[in-house]
Amino acid sequence: MISNVSFGGYYMIKFPKSTPDSKIKATKELMDNHVKENKYMYMDTLLRKDIQPQNSEQSTTDILFLTNIDNSAQIYDTLSVVSPKLADQYLDKTKVYLNLDTIA
């Protein structure tokens, strides 16, 4: 029998081109502190430099947010530390609509 199966995720947090690396590093540290305070031992962040941006408006520095347990509430909670809009983007990308076709 298989039980407790979970899949992790990789989330690349991109910043506007005008964002200084020092601000991106401070954001990473804010996330790291939140992860540590909440004992989310399965989450980690990596500061990446000289990364090819998706478009010309993005910085070449970003944060790779990694988790080996896909706990939506805790991922949302951690992304909210950076920005509520960022957390809402995560929610918009991962939500699943479940529709009842009958009333029970």
Side-chain angles (χ1 to χ4, degrees):
M1 174 166 51
I2 298 174
S3 64
N4 298 329
V5 175
S6 182
F7 299 94
Y10 304 99
Y11 306 95
M12 288 174 263
I13 303 172
K14 300 296 196 177
F15 293 83
K17 190 175 192 171
S18 61
T19 307
D21 284 359
S22 59
K23 179 156 176 60
I24 298 172
K25 184 178 179 184
T27 301
K28 178 199 178 301
E29 290 171 1
L30 185 67
M31 291 177 72
D32 288 343
N33 289 339
H34 180 79
V35 165
K36 185 177 180 181
E37 288 170 5
N38 288 283
K39 298 181 178 146
Y40 297 158
M41 304 301 180
Y42 46 86
M43 292 181 178
D44 198 11
T45 63
L46 297 172
L47 183 69
R48 304 184 322 152
K49 294 186 177 194
D50 300 319
I51 300 300
Q52 181 70 35
Q54 291 175 301
N55 62 57
S56 62
E57 301 299 316
Q58 291 178 335
S59 173
T60 58
T61 301
D62 67 14
I63 297 172
L64 180 60
F65 176 46
L66 308 152
T67 178
N68 61 1
I69 296 176
D70 191 16
N71 184 318
S72 298
Q74 293 173 357
I75 293 169
Y76 184 88
D77 179 49
T78 302
L79 293 174
S80 292
V81 169
V82 177
S83 160
K85 288 176 78 174
L86 184 68
D88 286 345
Q89 282 182 47
Y90 163 76
L91 186 62
D92 287 342
K93 300 264 186 217
T94 59
K95 69 183 168 200
V96 175
Y97 290 100
L98 305 172
N99 299 305
L100 289 173
D101 58 359
T102 61
I103 298 176

